[in-house]
Amino acid sequence: MNDPLYVSRPLIPELSDLTALLQGVWASQQVTNEGSLHNQLEVALARHLEVSVAKLTCNGTAALQCALLSLDLPRGGEVITTPLTFAATAHAIMACGLTPVFADVDEVTLTLDPAAVARAITERTVAVIGVHVYGTLCDHVALRDICNAHGLKLVFDAAHAFGATLEETPVGAMGDLSIFSLHASKLYNTFEGGLVTSTDPVDSQRLRLARNFGIENEEVVRSVGINGKMSELNAAIGLLNLQKYEEERAVRSALRTAYDRIVERFPGLTKQIRQVGVKQSEQYYMIRVDPVTFGAGRDKIYTRLKDFQIFSRRYFWPICTDFECYRGQTIYSVHEQPVVEQVKNTVLCLPFHSGVLPHHVEAIDAVLQELSGNN
Ligand SMILES: *Cc1c(COP(=O)(O)O)cnc(C)c1O
């Protein structure tokens, strides 16, 4: 039997490199609270992502919360977002005393549909959070226009889009703030970690307050904040993984091409779109399955792959409005039936990392061949 193959595999630095880097931390005994490795990593990430502000946090959820807290939005305000995302996006809104409101996704990109956002706006709306889901970039220009017209803040959950660019625009420069998860499941990771980016230097201090209890100095607590700080251990991993990550990204880029060639042979399977002018983050490889045309449904593929120890993921089914805490909430849409309600049953993410070997790709091809109508 083969070893199990999972949808992601963490990028991990050499242990000897890590211990070497930690010598200084052990000597200085500054292990957290904007330590020297932490500060080096912030500088390196700001340069790498081509943004003026890059503030590290202990995880992506804390990055979302720090971003929202730094915007000082009125309590109870509504934040429009997509239900086709990881639970953290909606939960962070709630945890900040705000109300998530769900809007539909675009049929082609599966990102927040600007027309649906326009429908969801009320006098209580204070912000919009778009998600670059699977690394497919949101229509940031259309969302910006809507937000400007209504005086709303625009935040991007870029947890899947580290390092992506749209022509000259780096992903972290879209909207007012962007957040990244540096969790082990993400291509560029610090085991646990997060990041908020901005192009406005004013945000730097606000984000530092938000991630450190709102403490300005020994005597002054300026605003509501959380403990969202990253430790030196995680920063050390981040510095080392920053050296390794482009190589992993290139391997995944080649794997995307290999998968595309297989997927396009099957009527009823749709490969993830390649957006014009976009350099992909290579976080996920997502396909959509039309059960009638293909001859079998998404869940059949998911289950059959398991027989070969290949564990794909049905991201993001269930969607947020299927969770008990948000169940029954409206999904604002320009269609009679929200696009996302159909999409959630057709999406499948295949294992996507340098541990995926030619025999794995062949096994996936064989499963698709077996289940498709045309064998
Ligand atoms: C991973 C992820 C997060 C949460 O990040 P954590 O680092 O796990 O807290 C938020 N949003 C999306 C879309 C994610 O995929």
Side-chain angles (χ1 to χ4, degrees):
M1 203 63 187
N2 290 324
D3 286 339
L5 182 69
Y6 299 106
V7 81
S8 66
R9 185 181 73 170
L11 185 67
I12 300 178
E14 295 301 322
L15 189 55
S16 55
D17 291 343
L18 183 63
T19 52
L21 201 51
L22 291 173
Q23 301 281 348
V25 177
W26 260 244
S28 74
Q29 304 206 355
Q30 184 172 5
V31 297
T32 186
N33 287 59
E34 303 190 343
S36 134
L37 299 180
H38 168 280
N39 292 344
Q40 276 179 55
L41 184 57
E42 284 194 340
V43 171
L45 287 173
R47 187 177 310 135
H48 186 83
L49 296 175
E50 302 174 80
V51 290
S52 49
V53 177
K55 294 286 125 193
L56 288 163
T57 59
C58 55
N59 58 56
T61 308
L64 274 162
Q65 291 188 43
C66 288
L68 291 171
L69 289 172
S70 78
L71 294 173
D72 198 22
L73 302 167
R75 276 192 95 65
E78 295 175 354
V79 179
I80 300 168
T81 192
T82 167
L84 190 72
T85 183
F86 184 57
T89 317
H91 290 346
I93 296 168
M94 286 292 266
C96 289
L98 300 160
T99 306
V101 169
F102 298 101
D104 204 4
V105 300
D106 178 84
E107 162 65 29
V108 176
T109 65
L110 307 190
T111 62
L112 201 49
D113 175 5
V117 169
R119 288 228 165 151
I121 292 172
T122 70
E123 67 275 13
R124 294 177 299 281
T125 308
V126 292
V128 172
I129 302 182
V131 180
H132 304 305
V133 68
Y134 316 111
T136 303
L137 300 185
C138 293
D139 186 346
H140 77 108
V141 175
L143 291 172
R144 173 91 276 169
D145 287 346
I146 291 170
C147 288
N148 283 352
H150 293 87
L152 309 176
K153 295 293 183 185
L154 178 58
V155 176
F156 285 109
D157 179 336
H160 301 171
F162 184 92
T165 53
L166 168 59
E167 259 121 40
E168 299 303 296
T169 310
V171 70
M174 295 174 184
D176 294 298
L177 296 168
S178 291
I179 76 93
F180 298 83
S181 165
L182 310 183
H183 181 256
S185 60
K186 307 306 199 293
L187 169 45
Y188 174 71
N189 79 87
T190 60
F191 289 10
E192 289 277 3
L195 181 72
V196 188
T197 62
S198 160
T199 53
D200 186 349
V202 168
D203 290 321
S204 180
Q205 183 60 9
R206 292 197 186 129
L207 290 166
R208 289 179 68 219
L209 285 175
R211 75 177 174 196
N212 190 31
F213 315 98
I215 295 173
E216 187 161 288
N217 59 46
E218 239 176 274
E219 296 177 359
V220 178
V221 175
R222 177 72 54 199
S223 53
V224 176
I226 61 172
N227 180 358
K229 296 182 270 76
M230 174 180 278
S231 83
E232 289 291 87
L233 274 172
N234 301 101
I237 294 159
L239 284 166
L240 296 170
N241 270 350
L242 200 53
Q243 312 298 319
K244 300 188 68 162
Y245 121 96
E246 286 292 3
E247 191 184 331
E248 171 71 17
R249 188 186 192 178
V251 171
R252 293 187 187 194
S253 180
L255 181 58
R256 176 179 299 279
T257 302
Y259 275 151
D260 272 358
R261 284 211 191 102
I262 291 169
V263 171
E264 63 203 12
R265 291 200 340 258
F266 295 96
L269 296 187
T270 307
K271 55 195 186 183
Q272 189 179 345
I273 67 157
R274 290 175 182 257
Q275 294 173 293
V276 178
V278 170
K279 183 168 187 224
Q280 244 282 346
S281 60
E282 308 296 0
Q283 172 61 38
Y284 287 121
Y285 185 84
M286 182 275 296
I287 63 170
R288 289 162 77 180
V289 184
D290 174 351
V292 177
T293 315
F294 179 67
R298 181 269 314 266
D299 290 353
K300 279 248 171 68
I301 300 174
Y302 166 82
T303 305
R304 185 67 179 132
L305 286 172
K306 276 190 183 177
D307 294 339
F308 299 91
Q309 294 285 93
I310 295 171
F311 298 91
S312 59
R313 294 296 299 262
R314 293 169 286 186
Y315 293 145
F316 283 95
W317 173 88
I319 57 172
C320 293
T321 45
D322 294 328
F323 305 165
E324 221 164 293
C325 42
Y326 309 116
R327 192 170 295 157
Q329 285 199 22
T330 304
I331 300 170
Y332 291 87
S333 179
V334 293
H335 305 278
E336 198 142 330
Q337 157 99 337
V339 169
V340 68
E341 291 287 4
Q342 184 261 328
V343 160
K344 72 181 185 187
N345 296 314
T346 70
V347 284
L348 189 68
C349 287
L350 298 178
F352 196 50
H353 50 82
S354 55
V356 180
L357 301 175
H359 76 269
H360 295 123
V361 177
E362 281 160 29
I364 292 167
D365 190 353
V367 163
L368 295 175
Q369 197 65 50
E370 174 199 323
L371 296 178
S372 69
N374 61 339
N375 62 357

